[in-house]
Amino acid sequence: MRSSVLAPWLVGALTIGVSLSISSAVYAQDEGVSPSEGEGDAAKPAEGGDADTAGAPKKEDEEKLGGWGVGGKEGDGNFKPHGKTGKLKELEDDQEERRIVDATPANLGRPGNSWVDVVIAPGGSIIVPIQVGGPTEVAPGASFVLGTTYRAWDKWEFGIRFGVSSSATNGPRQALLVGSRDPDSFKQIATGNLEVSLRPFFKLTPSTVVPVGLALVLPTAMGDMFADPDSRVELARWNVNQSASAMRGWEDKALFEPHRFAIVPSVGAIYQRPMGSGVAAGTLVLEGRTKLEIMALTGGKDPSIDPSAQNVQGDVKDVAVNWLLGGSAGFAMLDGLVTPSLKAWFVYASPTSTFGSIEASGAQLVVEPGVATSVPFGASGNLRFQGRLSGILPLGGPLGSGNQATPAGIAGLRVAAGLSF
């Protein structure tokens, strides 16, 4: 009877003891210590400590819990702001946008270009020193410059230009008899000079490029101001080239000076910056340039042969110069489909020929407002049509109000078209 009563209690005690042993082993395994070590730590204080802190957590546990006796650190949660906000965020975005814009490389376009540049003068007048007594009328006149350039290795640009012009001119002299031929009235076609050029492009920054050029102008232009009386066609061709140079605002005087070989050094700067957004987005294009046309005499008639029957001596300069300083500003929109722009240049031309006190020279300011377009076509889009329409307007000076006591003035309408490839 006694053994039957103790048996269940003994079984129960054994069951509880086994359960506690298993629980202690599992707990010790989770904490990385053996059950015996856990029992030792609970039974005695740690080395160097006292009994009051024997139950304190270890240092690494204390950091997890936020300190002994202090609650643990609360997490930031899912709504913690990341990065800068508010004004700092706007400043950061602006700085990043400026960095991207400043790093945007200048777009020099396709490497190859071929074009025809036409300038038309419906009317006007120029100074032809040998035609004394007043200005020489131009009505009408047209100048054609054909050119092509190719930029190799995105740096070295080789170019060639050639001019052909036509105009009807009428000097101040009148016909001696009614119905007879006007001795100063001409209508002729004349070729200009041939120019070959080389321009390397140097990148100062991703958005700023500096082209440095050198051109040689070969003397192929027709005409002579001091032509023989029986070769008046040469005077007419001289008038044609002088008209072409004048209606272009003396921008390329060396292209239209007969019997002149020219060396033309030049330097410029091109800066581009993307601006705006949406439909107002575009690229600001700023350009500056200067060049010096040094024109040396290569031939022509001796001015001592004076066809005017006057006791006035003519003179042809051995060397003449034409210095230009200018720039332009444009805003290319819709991938270059529309680009309004304004060009301006100041030019100083020394005389090539004089007759008495009359010469076509001096300082001249010219402005050229206009609009350009660039339209891609073809399957690859590598071909683009380039076009420009602008007005060449001299402000005062020899081309705007005459030279000395001889009033004159001429303006031009430019129409240019070409292909880039």
Side-chain angles (χ1 to χ4, degrees):
M1 182 70 181
R2 185 177 180 89
S3 59
S4 64
V5 174
L6 292 177
W9 286 99
L10 181 59
V11 173
L14 290 174
T15 302
I16 293 173
V18 172
S19 299
L20 290 176
S21 298
I22 294 173
S23 299
S24 176
V26 172
Y27 174 79
Q29 186 176 0
D30 291 341
E31 293 298 320
V33 297
S34 63
S36 60
E37 290 175 343
E39 292 174 0
D41 290 341
K44 63 179 181 179
E47 294 183 5
D50 52 34
D52 294 336
T53 59
K58 297 180 180 179
K59 184 176 181 180
E60 56 269 20
D61 295 332
E62 182 179 344
E63 291 178 354
K64 295 179 181 180
L65 296 173
W68 174 244
V70 181
K73 294 181 180 179
E74 184 178 354
D76 292 321
N78 296 329
F79 300 99
K80 176 185 176 181
H82 298 280
K84 299 176 181 178
T85 59
K87 190 64 176 179
L88 292 177
K89 178 63 174 175
E90 294 179 5
L91 292 175
E92 187 180 62
D93 292 343
D94 291 343
Q95 291 174 355
E96 179 66 13
E97 181 178 354
R98 284 195 297 269
R99 187 191 66 79
I100 294 174
V101 168
D102 293 339
T104 302
N107 181 13
L108 299 178
R110 302 295 302 165
N113 289 277
S114 294
W115 72 92
V116 56
D117 182 340
V118 184
V119 175
I120 301 170
S125 58
I126 61 173
I127 301 298
V128 178
I130 196 69
Q131 294 182 311
V132 297
T136 295
E137 299 294 329
V138 180
S143 172
F144 302 80
V145 173
L146 293 83
T148 185
T149 61
Y150 189 82
R151 190 176 64 258
W153 305 290
D154 202 32
K155 181 174 183 179
W156 298 92
E157 182 183 84
F158 303 88
I160 184 170
R161 293 194 300 168
F162 182 69
V164 179
S165 305
S166 175
S167 64
T169 61
N170 191 2
R173 294 173 62 187
Q174 301 296 323
L176 297 177
L177 300 174
V178 177
S180 63
R181 182 185 179 278
D182 189 335
D184 278 353
S185 179
F186 306 102
K187 186 175 183 180
Q188 276 292 327
I189 297 175
T191 60
N193 290 322
L194 174 67
E195 178 193 86
V196 292
S197 63
L198 172 65
R199 284 202 311 169
F201 289 78
F202 300 95
K203 292 185 178 181
L204 294 186
T205 68
S207 56
T208 305
V209 179
V210 173
V212 178
L214 180 64
L216 301 179
V217 183
L218 308 181
T220 58
M222 296 178 174
D224 197 315
M225 193 178 77
F226 294 102
D228 294 335
D230 58 349
S231 300
R232 301 295 283 176
V233 66
E234 289 301 305
L235 175 59
R237 289 170 175 168
W238 167 275
N239 290 348
V240 169
N241 275 313
Q242 295 304 301
S243 300
S245 178
M247 71 180 69
R248 290 176 175 272
W250 286 349
E251 185 180 18
D252 294 298
K253 207 170 191 294
L255 271 181
F256 304 99
E257 287 294 341
H259 309 299
R260 298 278 172 175
F261 170 78
I263 299 176
V264 186
S266 64
V267 64
I270 304 171
Y271 173 77
Q272 297 183 2
R273 182 181 180 87
M275 299 181 67
S277 60
V279 295
T283 301
L284 176 67
V285 182
L286 302 178
E287 296 189 30
R289 60 188 177 124
T290 185
K291 69 176 181 177
L292 180 64
E293 300 176 331
I294 306 170
M295 299 169 283
L297 185 65
T298 60
K301 294 294 183 179
D302 188 340
S304 63
I305 302 175
D306 180 5
S308 66
Q310 298 184 25
N311 295 322
V312 179
Q313 183 65 41
D315 185 27
V316 178
K317 305 298 181 182
D318 290 333
V319 178
V321 298
N322 187 54
W323 174 61
L324 180 143
L325 176 65
S328 65
F331 191 72
M333 300 177 290
L334 304 175
D335 191 28
L337 184 62
V338 180
T339 304
S341 66
L342 177 64
K343 288 176 59 179
W345 62 89
F346 169 84
V347 62
Y348 178 81
S350 69
T352 57
S353 303
T354 63
F355 192 77
S357 61
I358 304 175
E359 60 186 40
S361 63
Q364 183 66 57
L365 179 62
V366 183
V367 297
E368 183 181 355
V371 62
T373 186
S374 177
V375 182
F377 64 92
S380 63
N382 290 333
L383 288 176
R384 297 185 75 97
F385 168 79
Q386 310 280 1
R388 179 174 177 82
L389 177 65
S390 60
I392 302 173
L393 309 174
L395 303 179
L399 303 180
S401 59
N403 190 6
Q404 301 171 359
T406 305
I410 190 169
L413 175 67
R414 188 193 304 269
V415 181
L419 291 177
S420 63
F421 50 90

